[in-house]
């Protein structure tokens, strides 16, 4: 179980100018299939949630899900830390963005493979030690990837260094589970810096996962 929670935490992580960065909210529909004995698809979907609201502003991002195990995650660029609020813990668990138990073995980029919500998307495939990760993205929703050079956790910079844009679809396949995350809404908007602040009374500890 510890291994699958670690992998799930990882899953839940072109050069453009700074002025072109996408800032706003993306809603994703997530579905999971379990390959772990004793853990059903329904249990896994309930744990991780099927609706995800993801917000990004410059180098920070925040993810909120409706799962029973995972509630939200918050990445602070200035600290290069990813904070997670999980069930059963009064403290926020943090992961060092510079660390990554996974590694990318090869990448393949295919242009114009699909269309999602009116955005023509390219496909980037990462073959990793943990399995295969596929990302579908549009250059119309760019991210300044240099802000995330230190964010190795979850192969986030490995993806951004090739794509330079927010993903509109993610497909992850590992020996323990598979996941598909598809955008159902894209909302450019201005977000305040305080939206990405930790709760004032937050207690934190390094994540064991």
């Amino acid at each position: 179980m510890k291994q699958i929670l670690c992998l799930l935490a990882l899953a839940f992580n072109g050069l453009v100018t700074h002025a072109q960065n996408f800032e706003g909210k993306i809603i994703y529909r997530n579905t999971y299939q379990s390959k772990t004995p004793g853990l059903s698809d329904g249990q896994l979907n309930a744990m991780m949630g099927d609706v995800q609201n993801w917000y990004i502003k410059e180098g920070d991002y925040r993810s909120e899900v409706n799962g029973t195990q995972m509630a939200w995650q918050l990445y602070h660029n200035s600290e290069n830390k990813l904070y997670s609020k999980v069930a059963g813990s009064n403290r926020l668990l943090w992961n060092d963005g510079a660390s990554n138990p996974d590694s990318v073995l090869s990448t393949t980029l295919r242009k114009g493979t699909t269309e999602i919500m009116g955005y023509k998307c390219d496909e980037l495939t990462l073959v990793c030690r943990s399995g295969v990760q596929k990302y579908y993205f549009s250059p119309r929703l760019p991210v300044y990837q240099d802000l995330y050079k230190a964010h190795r956790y979850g192969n986030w910079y490995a993806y951004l260094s090739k794509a330079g844009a927010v993903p509109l679809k993610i497909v992850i396949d590992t020996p323990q589970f598979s996941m598909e995350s598809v955008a159902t809404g894209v909302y450019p908007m201005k977000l305040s810096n305080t939206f990405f602040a930790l709760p004032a009374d937050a207690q934190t500890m390094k994540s064991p996962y």
Side-chain angles (χ1 to χ4, degrees):
M1 180 60 72
K2 182 175 180 179
Q3 183 183 22
I4 192 171
L5 287 174
C6 179
L7 289 168
L8 286 165
L10 289 169
F12 251 82
N13 303 24
L15 187 63
V16 295
T17 66
H18 199 161
Q20 293 175 311
N21 284 351
F22 173 78
E23 178 179 339
K25 171 184 177 181
I26 300 179
I27 300 177
Y28 296 93
R29 178 77 175 184
N30 298 337
T31 55
Y32 294 85
Q33 289 186 323
S34 176
K35 302 178 186 179
T36 302
L39 183 64
S40 69
D41 294 351
Q43 289 173 317
L44 187 54
N45 278 275
M47 285 170 55
M48 302 309 297
D50 61 357
V51 177
Q52 178 182 3
N53 295 322
W54 190 75
Y55 306 83
I56 185 170
K57 177 183 175 70
E58 298 178 346
D60 297 334
Y61 64 78
R62 179 186 180 106
S63 174
E64 301 170 350
V65 293
N66 62 341
T68 59
Q69 175 68 27
M70 182 70 70
W72 52 265
Q73 290 186 313
L74 178 64
Y75 175 71
H76 273 181
N77 183 275
S78 60
E79 300 177 276
N80 196 25
K81 285 184 177 180
L82 180 66
Y83 294 91
S84 301
K85 179 66 177 75
V86 298
S89 176
N90 293 325
R91 297 184 178 182
L92 300 179
L93 306 181
W94 61 266
N95 291 91
D96 182 355
S99 68
N100 189 10
D102 198 10
S103 60
V104 177
L105 306 176
S106 65
T107 63
T108 303
L109 179 63
R110 295 198 302 152
K111 296 286 189 177
T113 60
T114 190
E115 187 173 298
I116 301 171
M117 298 191 61
Y119 294 93
K120 189 174 182 179
C121 295
D122 300 337
E123 176 193 79
L124 178 66
T125 300
L126 307 182
V127 177
C128 310
R129 286 176 53 207
S130 63
V132 177
Q133 303 174 3
K134 292 187 177 184
Y135 298 85
Y136 301 83
F137 62 93
S138 168
R140 290 167 54 193
L141 300 171
V143 173
Y144 186 48
Q145 61 263 56
D146 280 0
L147 290 173
Y148 295 95
K149 272 189 173 181
H151 192 331
R152 308 289 173 172
Y153 186 80
N155 300 320
W156 183 236
Y157 183 68
Y159 159 72
L160 277 184
S161 65
K162 302 293 184 181
V166 297
L168 292 178
K169 180 179 177 180
I170 304 171
V171 180
I172 294 178
D173 188 48
T174 77
Q176 292 79 24
F177 70 93
S178 61
M179 181 197 82
E180 182 175 280
S181 182
V182 183
T184 60
V186 178
Y187 306 97
M189 63 178 71
K190 291 295 182 181
L191 299 168
S192 68
N193 291 332
T194 57
F195 182 76
F196 299 92
L198 293 175
D201 59 348
Q203 299 182 20
T204 66
M205 64 176 288
K206 185 172 176 57
S207 174
Y209 308 119

